[in-house]
Amino acid sequence: MEQYTSLAQRDQAVIWHPFTQMQTAPLPIPIVRGKGSVLYGEDGQEYLDMVSSWWVSIHGHANAYIAEKVAAQLTELEHVIFAGFTHEPAVRLAERLLPVLPGNQRKVFYSDNGSTAVEVALKMAFQYWHNLGKPRRKVIAFHDAYHGDTFGAMAVGGRSAFTAPFVPFLFDVEYLPTPVPGQEAAVLAQAEALFSDEVAAFIAEPLVQGAGGMIMYTLGVLDQLMKIAHRHGALVIADEVMTGFGRTGKLFASHYLTEQPDLMCLSKGLTGGTMALGITTCTQAVYEAFLSESKFKTLFHGHSFTANPVACTASLASLDILLSDETLANIQRISAQHTAFIDQLSGYGSATNIRQQGTILAFDLNTGESTSYFSNIRDYAYQFLLDRGVIMRPLGNVLYFMPPYCTTNGQLAYAYAQVEELLRTL
Ligand SMILES: *Cc1c(COP(=O)(O)O)cnc(C)c1O
């Protein structure tokens, strides 16, 4: 083996990164440790993590309380097969989670990431109809939806450059435009025409479509769409992988709604960003459609690391922190800071379509007449902020804040100031 001097070069010799064009991407930045909202580079540079490391680190990095609980669990029981066996952390987590979810959620099914949580929800929905002897095949989703990168999750997501090579292999889905402000009536009219008794499921990211570009829409119209779905018997899947665990200001975005979803998908913030875990929850009616003397009605799905005890323990510790007065106050504090910053942002012509939902603040970067100068606004903004020690990863021209809840007002003020600097250059 060749000898490489830096970690980044060693990385390049052996690693293929996600969502990365390896030929043109700059070398990755080695991170050696984290504390709260700060990541520390190998070279001593500090970075403010304003995206909670792909939206998972809701309590910041290297949380001591979660670490202590995880360490204790590791020496007690690190893993056990979850078919035919069970353990305290899995049971306790389900017992604690169900009461804070919409009241109709009755059973917890474990997997190990957001995409698998969605796969499980889709398989539950299709098999629900199969088991009832009334097979339904249609799924309705939103344009610009993102539900994960595995095949089923990709199929119910919007079609884009990301899915192009796989389109021939994805099952058909009917799309509704996202009911952004002003489009509500048109989308509802389209939904009335689209929903029928052949629709198995309607899947949505409630209130905020994350990876699709932090597209926000109002709860009223989602309630209406869920009512239309339910009128036709279709199951509603709320993908709260991103919106869950306080992101939108309430514990779950579904708490803003009066209609309740039949299935819910959770991951990302679930373990406080410590490790991978996925959860799909469902109503009693969904669960009961699988109960039978016949083995053929079984949900034949599982993963090696289903309900891993260490991941469940991390989730329990994360819930302790999330449900504390301090964190709930922090969520409101960050939301209020964002709202105040909108006043500043509104003064820049280069920031348009400014929108907020709880701790998520997003806007479009607008280069106006000089667009050609910044042929790639996304890369320019990313690098500009990174050079000033702020990690934000624009989705195309959409810049957004999704900070850990422990982020201080001082840290927010620093990040806001760098964004204002950026806007002044556009
Ligand atoms: C990230 C995400 C997923 C996929 O989760 P992974 O753990 O990355 O597989 C699914 N749905 C939504 C809404 C997401 O934001």
Side-chain angles (χ1 to χ4, degrees):
M1 283 281 274
E2 275 182 76
Q3 288 301 305
Y4 294 100
T5 45
S6 79
L7 189 61
Q9 285 170 319
R10 281 168 51 211
D11 172 292
Q12 209 174 36
V14 292
I15 288 173
W16 188 346
H17 285 264
F19 294 111
T20 303
Q21 174 43 262
M22 297 304 292
Q23 180 161 317
T24 53
L27 284 173
I29 300 166
I31 297 295
V32 289
R33 76 198 157 83
K35 194 75 217 159
S37 301
V38 181
L39 289 165
Y40 297 86
E42 190 184 43
D43 60 358
Q45 169 78 278
E46 294 184 13
Y47 300 94
L48 260 181
D49 185 355
M50 290 295 98
V51 295
S52 301
S53 280
W54 255 341
W55 319 345
V56 301
S57 307
I58 56 175
H59 306 306
H61 296 279
N63 183 279
Y65 178 75
I66 300 177
E68 186 189 316
K69 299 282 182 183
V70 163
Q73 183 61 43
L74 268 171
T75 54
E76 197 67 32
L77 177 67
E78 89 302 344
H79 193 56
V80 60
I81 175 174
F82 206 60
F85 296 87
T86 192
H87 52 81
E88 174 71 22
V91 176
R92 187 87 196 101
L93 179 56
E95 284 173 347
R96 288 192 62 194
L97 203 50
L98 288 171
V100 296
L101 292 177
N104 65 344
Q105 300 299 299
R106 286 290 187 281
K107 288 287 187 285
V108 166
F109 190 99
Y110 287 105
S111 61
D112 49 22
N113 63 71
S115 300
T116 56
V118 170
E119 296 286 340
V120 169
L122 291 170
K123 284 174 83 168
M124 282 180 176
F126 288 130
Q127 196 179 339
Y128 168 85
W129 293 108
H130 174 90
N131 284 0
L132 293 184
K134 297 183 270 186
R136 293 187 177 198
R137 298 191 50 163
K138 270 194 186 170
V139 177
I140 293 178
F142 284 136
H143 280 299
D144 306 311
Y146 179 79
H147 296 293
D149 285 343
T150 53
F151 271 83
M154 249 196 310
V156 293
R159 300 290 180 265
S160 70
F162 291 63
T163 55
F166 315 110
V167 165
F169 311 103
L170 303 178
F171 59 75
D172 282 342
V173 169
E174 309 256 16
Y175 292 100
L176 282 172
T178 310
V180 291
Q183 292 303 306
E184 289 95 340
V187 176
L188 284 171
Q190 230 175 300
E192 289 288 2
L194 203 53
F195 275 98
S196 69
D197 293 352
E198 286 163 37
V199 177
F202 166 52
I203 184 167
E205 297 160 86
L207 305 193
V208 186
Q209 291 188 289
M214 297 301 153
I215 302 165
M216 301 188 188
Y217 61 101
T218 51
L219 44 141
V221 68
L222 182 56
D223 258 327
Q224 298 277 356
L225 287 169
M226 288 167 71
K227 275 205 181 81
I228 297 171
H230 281 151
R231 207 191 317 131
H232 292 282
L235 298 173
V236 174
I237 304 171
D239 178 353
E240 292 232 31
V241 169
M242 184 278 280
T243 54
F245 304 102
R247 239 338 138 196
T248 66
K250 295 202 182 204
L251 274 186
F252 295 92
S254 293
H255 287 319
Y256 287 101
L257 303 166
T258 52
E259 284 290 297
Q260 296 185 333
D262 302 280
L263 295 143
M264 293 182 74
C265 307
L266 307 172
S267 187
K268 293 216 164 96
L270 173 59
T271 63
T274 308
M275 53 211 302
L277 187 66
I279 280 180
T280 308
T281 64
C282 70
T283 60
Q284 190 65 19
V286 170
Y287 178 67
E288 282 180 3
F290 292 75
L291 301 181
S292 168
E293 294 296 319
S294 162
K295 286 221 161 103
F296 292 112
K297 293 203 170 173
T298 307
L299 180 65
F300 289 111
H301 189 102
H303 297 276
S304 317
F305 286 101
T306 289
N308 174 265
V310 186
C312 290
T313 298
S315 304
L316 284 165
S318 178
L319 263 188
D320 286 343
I321 301 171
L322 180 65
L323 299 177
S324 72
D325 290 343
E326 188 186 346
T327 304
L328 296 176
N330 278 339
I331 290 171
Q332 301 314 317
R333 173 182 59 79
I334 291 172
S335 303
Q337 294 287 309
H338 281 346
T339 306
F341 181 51
I342 289 177
D343 281 345
Q344 313 291 119
L345 275 179
S346 311
Y348 295 91
S350 44
T352 56
N353 194 11
I354 303 165
R355 50 207 188 267
Q356 182 193 1
Q357 183 62 251
T359 67
I360 309 170
L361 173 63
F363 54 91
D364 300 352
L365 293 169
N366 203 325
T367 51
E369 294 305 309
S370 60
T371 306
S372 57
Y373 183 73
F374 302 107
S375 55
N376 195 333
I377 184 89
R378 185 256 167 227
D379 291 351
Y380 170 75
Y382 175 72
Q383 194 59 46
F384 184 98
L385 294 166
L386 198 60
D387 288 345
R388 287 153 184 81
V390 179
I391 302 177
M392 291 174 75
R393 258 182 83 92
L395 297 157
N397 71 329
V398 176
L399 193 62
Y400 67 91
F401 290 89
M402 208 188 282
Y405 305 145
C406 60
T407 307
T408 65
N409 285 352
Q411 289 170 327
L412 283 175
Y414 178 80
Y416 292 155
Q418 307 321 304
V419 165
E420 285 194 73
E421 279 288 310
L422 166 71
L423 293 173
R424 276 194 279 271
T425 70
L426 296 182

